[in-house]
Structures are given as structure tokens and as C-alpha cells.
Amino acid sequence: MSYICKRLITPPFLHQFKPPSHEWSNLYVRNNLNTSSQNRHKLFYTCNNSFGQRRMSMIESATTRVSTDRDDVEQRQQSVGALEQEALVADGLTRLNSNPLEATLNHLSKWLMVALFSLVLILRHDAKAIWITMGAILNVGLSITLKKILNQERPSSASKSDPGMPSSHAQSIFYIVFVVILSMMDWAGMNLLTAPFAGAVLAFGSYFAWLRVSQGFHTISQVVVGAVAGSVFSGLWFWLWDAIVLEAFISNFWIRVLVVVGGVGCILRFALFVIQDWIMAEH
């Protein structure tokens, strides 16, 4: 009776439904697990490959940046190393050659050069002497301008903090040295007597310029550049007078007035500079 009731209550299409057997259900589960596992592996490999490629590109770009930065650092280290090596040489010379006599001579060098320069002007006592005086002041202005442009530090042993390239002492010394040599050539020419004297004056000026290195105020390159600048400017200033200014000075009254007034103004300016920066600074 119960069987008849079930047949009557249950819909006809459900009579044909049979639940899957145990073996079929296990096979279905295993297939689903295998498929999902394969999908997971494919997804993992895809992500891993993309991440690896991205990581390799990041490593390559970082390596490129590091190599570029390393080259820049090496170039900077080479330039800084050259300056440090030159400064160390100057410091070593300062420690080896520093003695009271050289320190005194270095302190008196500016006064000795001014005395030599004044002696030459007194012996000349001509219009060219005024022109030479103007050149001395302009040579100092050129040195100050070059220091501002180049802006290279002094050695660590220097007591001053202003730029050291070029050495203004060396530039002024060699300007005066070549004024003496060229004036001597104007008077007597170059012969067996004047040539040794010119060599002695050149050695004299070179020694006083070298004191700036041995006392630690400048590096070797700063003194060399100052010496070259002073020598070249002195030669050009003499040539400018002989080639251009002398003829205009003779023929034109206003050129004579301009040269004389300019020369007197330069002498007064130099006297004021000596009083302020040399005498007053020491006291």
C-alpha cells in the first residue's frame, strides 16, 4: 500500500533518476580537483613569469643607474683626489720647509717688491713709468677678477679663506719682475751683462713666489697660474705702450692728460691700499 502511495505521489520523471554510484562520485571529485589544480598551477606559473620578468627589468635598470652613478662618482673622486694630492704636497712642503727665515722673507716679500718697483719708476721718471704704474693696479684688479671666476680654494693649511686661484702675490711679483727686465732691455738691450742680471731677477722673483707654496698659502698650480698671468700681462702692457699709446701720447694733448691723471689716481689708490690692507691690518 505504501509503495502504491509513493508511486502516486512521486512525479513520473523522478522515477528514472538514479543517484550516482560511489565510484562515479569519486571520479567526478577527482576530475574537478585535477582541473582546479591544473588551473592553479597555470595561474601560478603565469604570475611567477610576469613577476620574474618585471623583477629582471627592475634589476637591469637599477644596475644601469648604479653603473652610471659609479662613473660619475669616480670622475668626481679623480678631480677631488687631484686637488687633495696637490694640497697634501703643499702641506708637506709647509711642514718640511717652514722655518723662521722663510716666514720672515715671505712676510717682507711685498715690501721688497714695492721697493724694487719704486726704484725702477724713479730711475725711469718718464711717461712710461706712469703707464707702468697704471698697469700694476690693473694687474691686481685682473687677479681679483680671476679669483672670483675660478673660485678655487686655498690649501687647508692656509690662514685665509678667500679663493686662491691664481696667487695674487705671484701675479704681482712676476709683473714687477718683467717690468724690471723689460725696462733694462729698453735701456741697454740684451747683452752679456744684462742677460745674467735678467736671469738673477727672474730667479729672485721665482723664489719669493715659491715661498707662497712652502708657507702653505697656495698650491703649486695657483702660484704657476699667477706667475704666468703676471708675466703675460706685463709683456702685453709694455707692447701696448710701444705699439699704440706712445704715438697717441705724443700727438694728442688729451691723451697725455688722461695718462697722467690715470697714473696719479692709480698711485694714490695703491697708497691707500697699502695703508689699509698692509699697515692697518698688521696693527
Side-chain angles (χ1 to χ4, degrees), residues 69-82:
D69 295 339
R70 187 183 296 114
D71 294 338
D72 295 338
V73 170
E74 289 178 355
Q75 292 177 357
R76 293 174 184 173
Q77 288 178 349
Q78 288 176 358
S79 59
V80 173

Side-chain angles (χ1 to χ4, degrees), residues 42-60:
K42 289 181 181 179
L43 180 61
F44 174 77
Y45 289 140
T46 303
C47 294
N48 192 17
N49 290 333
S50 62
F51 176 75
Q53 293 176 357
R54 187 161 56 248
R55 183 175 60 181
M56 289 300 296
S57 62
M58 293 173 63
I59 292 173
E60 290 177 357

Side-chain angles (χ1 to χ4, degrees), residues 105-277:
L105 290 175
N106 178 68
H107 179 70
L108 296 176
S109 62
K110 54 189 178 184
W111 297 105
L112 294 175
M113 289 298 153
V114 169
L116 180 62
F117 185 69
S118 301
L119 178 62
V120 172
L121 296 181
I122 293 172
L123 292 175
R124 292 196 66 102
H125 62 272
D126 57 0
K128 195 172 185 178
I130 301 176
W131 180 255
I132 292 172
T133 305
M134 294 175 61
I137 302 302
L138 293 177
N139 182 59
V140 174
L142 175 63
S143 176
I144 295 174
T145 304
L146 290 175
K147 283 188 175 185
K148 291 181 179 180
I149 294 174
L150 299 176
N151 194 26
Q152 187 181 101
E153 295 182 354
R154 293 174 181 261
S156 59
S157 58
S159 58
K160 296 182 178 181
S161 58
D162 62 319
M165 175 66 82
S167 170
S168 57
H169 279 74
Q171 188 166 338
S172 299
I173 287 172
F174 273 82
Y175 177 84
I176 297 173
V177 164
F178 275 86
V179 163
V180 174
I181 294 174
L182 294 174
S183 297
M184 183 180 56
M185 292 177 64
D186 284 344
W187 295 329
M190 185 63 68
N191 51 50
L192 295 177
L193 294 178
T194 58
F197 181 77
V201 173
L202 185 61
F204 179 75
S206 300
Y207 174 73
F208 279 102
W210 173 255
L211 289 177
R212 305 301 293 176
V213 178
S214 65
Q215 297 301 305
F217 289 99
H218 291 283
T219 62
I220 298 174
S221 61
Q222 291 171 356
V223 170
V224 170
V225 171
V228 172
S231 303
V232 172
F233 186 81
S234 181
L236 289 176
W237 198 249
F238 264 72
W239 173 84
L240 187 62
W241 172 266
D242 294 333
I244 300 175
V245 179
L246 178 59
E247 183 178 355
F249 183 84
I250 295 172
S251 61
N252 193 313
F253 171 77
W254 293 109
I255 296 296
R256 291 197 294 272
V257 171
L258 181 62
V259 171
V260 172
V261 172
V264 172
C266 289
I267 292 174
L268 294 177
R269 178 65 184 88
F270 181 72
L272 182 62
F273 171 78
V274 170
I275 294 173
Q276 290 180 345
D277 291 11

